[in-house]
Amino acid sequence: MRKPTKAVIPVAGLGTRFLPATKAMPKEMLPLVDKPVIQYVVEEAVRAGFEDILFVTGRDKYALENHFDQSSELESRLEAKGDLARRDLVREASNLGNIHYVRQGGAKGLGHAVHAAHSFTSDEPFAVLLGDDVTEETSDLLSVMAGVHARTGSNVVALVEVPREEIHKYGCINPSGTEVDGVIPIADFVEKPKTEEAPSNYAVIGRYILNPGIHSILANQAPGAGGEIQLTDALATAARTGAAGGVVGVVFRGERYDAGDKLEFLKATVLLASKRDDLGPDLLAWLKDFIATR
Ligand code: G1P
């Protein structure tokens, strides 16, 4: 089984959940402490050995391209001031992997965005990371998924167990067996089911390792939930028929945040800041005080 080294990150979404902040700025550039959300995601991909990264972009996403490009003027100014620490921070973002871009051409759904990467991924397996999902900085989820992919040859999705009342926000799996060592075989998927119709409480989160065969399924995929071409529907076909190698899930039990949700975004900010030497102690002391006086 060929080892995947390419990652696809769809970033063409409009970010309506964060309006008005995202009226003129891509939602992926919102900062968690002092780094844009998207940088955490790119760092996660690079950490797991996915050095070739394709952003599937849309209109008004230039800030993203600038962020991952060199900024010689800013670097020389910081250098002239002797601020080498900040120069290195600026440089870090432009040294992360090899970043490529393709335009999605309309926001027609996640499946459509992933299929827009077909020339880039060609006949190789590849990872997909969704920008809204941020995992803890020490997470090795993608490497574990790559290991399961190498062992099974199947498409691999990341799963979390969620309370029943939250399953309607996610793709949900119908398992075909029990979980063994964090891996679960999948018979079917439903995108954003009603609570009473959900076949399990395992929700798909935004990390996937896909076989190239998924593109043939996506190429003929009819629009599904929300009138969009859903990646979940293509995975359902693979799971039901065994096409493109079938699908298995890897259950993730680490810290994870949906940075596209306001409350989760606030929690992620506090969590990440609390772990920092320069901010954590003061922030925690202030929080204790704040809660005690509410
Ligand atoms: C997408 C997928 C969904 C998955 C979710 C994870 O939905 O379609 O299956 O559970 O990402 O974040 P979205 O959140 O883009 O609506």
Side-chain angles (χ1 to χ4, degrees):
M1 183 51 56
R2 194 158 170 180
K3 189 175 177 291
T5 57
K6 293 179 176 174
V8 174
I9 308 185
V11 291
L14 295 176
T16 46
R17 287 194 281 178
F18 269 92
L19 283 170
T22 49
K23 184 180 172 195
M25 179 177 73
K27 64 172 176 172
E28 295 80 9
M29 289 304 293
L30 291 171
L32 282 172
V33 188
D34 50 11
K35 238 174 11 185
V37 169
I38 191 69
Q39 190 171 336
Y40 291 91
V41 178
V42 171
E43 284 172 356
E44 181 187 337
V46 171
R47 201 163 64 231
F50 294 88
E51 296 270 343
D52 269 320
I53 294 169
L54 178 76
F55 281 131
V56 182
T57 72
R59 303 181 75 78
D60 302 327
K61 298 281 177 171
Y62 302 114
L64 261 153
E65 298 185 22
N66 290 340
H67 183 73
F68 291 103
D69 197 2
Q70 274 193 352
S71 177
S72 317
E73 195 189 331
L74 183 57
E75 283 184 30
S76 350
R77 280 204 198 175
L78 291 166
E79 227 162 75
K81 283 207 291 182
D83 195 345
L84 301 187
R86 285 206 177 85
R87 181 209 58 189
D88 290 348
L89 284 178
V90 166
R91 218 173 245 180
E92 227 172 79
S94 49
N95 286 341
L96 279 171
N98 313 308
I99 310 234
H100 312 261
Y101 298 90
V102 69
R103 293 277 287 241
Q104 186 179 343
K108 296 179 198 151
L110 178 57
H112 182 253
V114 170
H115 191 49
H118 72 275
S119 303
F120 171 77
T121 60
S122 180
D123 57 353
E124 297 171 39
F126 58 100
V128 173
L129 293 90
L130 304 188
D132 281 346
D133 287 288
V134 178
T135 61
E136 60 198 313
E137 288 185 278
T138 51
S139 151
D140 61 354
L141 172 63
L142 265 188
S143 305
V144 171
M145 292 172 73
V148 171
H149 177 261
R151 190 156 53 75
T152 62
S154 297
N155 296 285
V156 185
V157 298
L159 303 170
V160 291
E161 288 183 274
V162 299
R164 285 308 272 201
E165 61 275 16
E166 284 182 27
I167 198 78
H168 68 95
K169 296 196 266 183
Y170 298 94
C172 173
I173 64 153
N174 185 4
S176 59
T178 47
E179 185 185 329
V180 178
D181 295 332
V183 180
I184 188 158
I186 299 176
D188 206 351
F189 288 78
V190 195
E191 178 69 4
K192 314 232 165 78
K194 293 191 181 123
T195 310
E196 59 280 12
E197 284 164 15
S200 74
N201 65 335
Y202 285 108
V204 177
I205 57 164
R207 300 291 180 272
Y208 309 78
I209 300 212
L210 302 176
N211 283 326
I214 203 75
H215 285 303
S216 331
I217 305 177
L218 283 170
N220 299 306
Q221 188 65 56
E228 297 189 333
I229 297 174
Q230 298 289 351
L231 177 59
T232 307
D233 292 344
L235 287 167
T237 301
R240 284 198 293 260
T241 64
V247 194
V248 298
V250 165
V251 184
F252 180 61
R253 297 208 161 84
E255 280 162 10
R256 158 208 160 254
Y257 292 92
D258 175 4
D261 175 88
K262 285 180 212 174
L263 183 61
E264 293 268 308
F265 186 91
L266 290 171
K267 289 183 197 169
T269 303
V270 172
L271 181 95
L272 289 165
S274 73
K275 288 183 179 172
R276 294 246 308 231
D277 294 339
D278 58 340
L279 295 166
D282 287 349
L283 176 69
L284 287 175
W286 175 80
L287 270 175
K288 279 185 195 139
D289 214 38
F290 177 76
I291 286 158
T293 55
R294 283 299 105 178

